[in-house]
């Protein structure tokens, strides 16, 4: 019997880049799973959590846990949201007996997309193709909180035509940080410029990442400085879903 996987779409994917959600669903299905997208899901609660509003974060957590009841796994195309679900939900209910137990049981079923594909389902091959040099940016939450680093690289290396290159600073932040980029725009922009200089030193044809927030931040800065280097979510590349323009690209722009 195929595992029943609940796709946690994430707010940014839902509102800004639905193609990432469709690509993620296709990849999970290719890994031999049944995909469901519960209608009751909304935000993971991370903005409220990071702002110190634990009450709102708990309410959103309860709603999310209920929405994904009956799923064998919960998969998110975002290390940031996956870390919130997996690590911070149990902390929100610490000491609340039944609620804490339920949150821990839920958290154990949560995975970031590339980790799920590579380490849970053992995916080692792809039928996608991309001709060019690809540099992957590691989002902070996925890297530091969930320890995700090798999985996306193994998956990208399986894509025909991809030459995977590595930036010198493999653990550098993009500068987004959610509310950080709004509260400290000058610092955020300076960090983005440093990260872009690091990524472009490899002369890539494409930048990938597993978090849409990072990609929107980097892609937006690239476009504002006149750099045409395209950015895409790793799910789009792995699924061969390249019909949409690159992030921050213009309508009709499909390459690469």
């Amino acid at each position: 019997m195929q595992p029943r996987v609940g796709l946690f779409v994430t707010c940014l994917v839902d509102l800004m880049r639905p193609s990432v959600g469709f690509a993620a669903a296709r990849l999970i299905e290719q890994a031999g799973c049944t995909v469901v997208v519960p209608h009751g899901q909304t935000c993971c609660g991370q903005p409220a959590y990071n702002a110190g509003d634990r009450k709102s974060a708990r309410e959103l957590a309860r709603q999310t846990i209920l929405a994904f009841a009956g799923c064998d796994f919960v998969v998110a195309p975002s290390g940031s949201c996956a870390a919130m679900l997996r690590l911070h939900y149990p902390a929100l209910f610490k000491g609340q007996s039944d609620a804490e137990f339920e949150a821990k049981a839920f958290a154990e079923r949560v995975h970031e997309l590339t980790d799920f594909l590579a380490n849970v389902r053992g995916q080692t091959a792809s039928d996608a193709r991309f001709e060019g040099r690809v540099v992957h940016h590691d989002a902070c939450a996925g890297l530091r909180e969930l320890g995700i680093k090798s999985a996306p690289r193994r998956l990208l290396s399986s894509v025909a035509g991809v030459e995977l290159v590595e930036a010198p600073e493999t653990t550098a932040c993009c500068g987004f940080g959610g509310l950080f980029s709004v509260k400290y725009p000058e610092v955020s922009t300076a960090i983005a410029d440093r990260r872009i200089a690091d990524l472009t030193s490899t002369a890539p044809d494409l930048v990938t990442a597993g978090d849409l927030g990072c990609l929107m931040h980097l892609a937006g800065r690239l476009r504002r400085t006149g750099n045409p280097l395209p950015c895409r979510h790793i799910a789009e590349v792995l699924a061969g879903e390249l019909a949409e323009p690159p992030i921050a690209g213009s309508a009709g722009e499909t390459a690469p």
Side-chain angles (χ1 to χ4, degrees):
M1 185 175 180
Q2 292 187 329
R4 180 180 171 87
V5 176
L7 177 62
F8 186 83
V9 177
T10 84
C11 296
L12 285 180
V13 169
D14 181 37
L15 297 173
M16 306 299 295
R17 191 78 173 178
S19 58
V20 173
F22 290 114
R26 178 181 174 184
L27 290 168
I28 296 168
E29 287 180 342
Q30 288 177 341
C33 304
T34 299
V35 179
V36 295
V37 185
H39 293 294
Q41 64 178 299
T42 54
C43 176
C44 68
Q46 185 180 147
Y49 182 80
N50 289 344
D53 184 358
R54 297 296 192 267
K55 180 177 182 295
S56 295
R58 276 191 289 271
E59 290 174 355
L60 288 165
R62 290 189 184 97
Q63 181 171 327
T64 301
I65 292 170
L66 179 63
F68 286 88
C71 294
D72 299 306
F73 298 98
V74 179
V75 174
S78 162
S80 179
C81 293
M84 181 67 194
L85 302 178
R86 187 174 178 88
L87 302 180
H88 300 295
Y89 273 19
L92 278 171
F93 298 100
K94 189 171 180 61
Q96 295 186 28
S97 186
D98 291 347
E100 183 180 5
F101 178 81
E102 188 177 10
K104 286 181 177 179
F106 170 81
E108 290 174 358
R109 295 183 280 126
V110 173
H111 297 273
E112 182 271 344
L113 176 65
T114 63
D115 174 62
F116 178 75
L117 295 174
N119 298 323
V120 178
R121 300 302 292 172
Q123 294 292 94
T124 58
S126 170
D127 60 3
R129 171 173 287 276
F130 178 86
E131 298 289 344
R133 293 165 62 87
V134 176
V135 62
H136 187 73
H137 167 74
D138 296 291
C140 290
L143 179 65
R144 292 171 171 80
E145 293 192 284
L146 298 176
I148 296 167
K149 186 171 184 178
S150 63
R153 288 165 174 80
R154 296 205 310 270
L155 293 168
L156 282 170
S157 296
S158 73
V159 176
V162 164
E163 179 186 353
L164 189 62
V165 295
E166 198 71 76
E169 295 188 29
T170 58
T171 61
C173 176
C174 74
F176 176 55
L179 294 175
F180 177 86
S181 63
V182 177
K183 296 173 68 175
Y184 307 103
E186 293 182 356
V187 178
S188 176
T189 298
I191 296 173
D193 286 344
R194 174 172 174 169
R195 183 57 176 151
I196 287 170
D198 183 53
L199 292 168
T200 55
S201 70
T202 63
D205 299 303
L206 179 69
V207 176
T208 61
D211 272 68
L212 190 53
C214 299
L215 287 164
M216 291 171 61
H217 188 60
L218 292 171
R221 186 60 182 161
L222 283 164
R223 291 304 171 113
R224 286 191 293 275
T225 57
N227 190 325
L229 178 62
C231 300
R232 288 189 181 276
H233 194 284
I234 186 173
E236 296 176 309
V237 178
L238 296 177
E241 299 282 355
L242 305 178
E244 290 292 320
I247 296 167
S250 304
E253 181 184 348
T254 59

